[in-house]
Amino acid sequence: MNLLIFGIIVVYIGGVWKFSTGFSRTNFNQTLFNRIGLAVLWPALFLANPSYRRNFQKALKG
């Protein structure tokens, strides 16, 4: 069980890191507030919003 929680945390932090470093490749307004907010909320936005999902994929490429 602890290994599963650790894995979820690693995936979450990895997603935050990858999205924030690739944020400039997205169509979002390039502000610090957007970068932090969209990076922290990525799991919920990825599941609920197709536009965010496309931009998330752009951020991960490259």
Side-chain angles (χ1 to χ4, degrees):
M1 186 62 147
N2 291 336
L3 186 59
L4 178 63
I5 293 170
F6 178 74
I8 290 170
I9 291 170
V10 167
V11 168
Y12 174 76
I13 292 172
V16 169
W17 177 259
K18 290 291 283 181
F19 182 79
S20 64
T21 57
F23 186 73
S24 62
R25 289 187 285 277
T26 67
N27 296 331
F28 297 122
N29 192 0
Q30 302 292 314
T31 64
L32 182 61
F33 180 75
N34 275 353
R35 178 182 288 217
I36 293 170
L38 294 171
V40 169
L41 296 173
W42 79 264
L45 292 170
F46 187 84
L47 292 174
N49 191 320
S51 175
Y52 181 86
R53 204 170 7 250
R54 284 190 296 276
N55 278 288
F56 189 82
Q57 294 297 330
K58 285 182 190 179
L60 296 185
K61 292 181 184 174

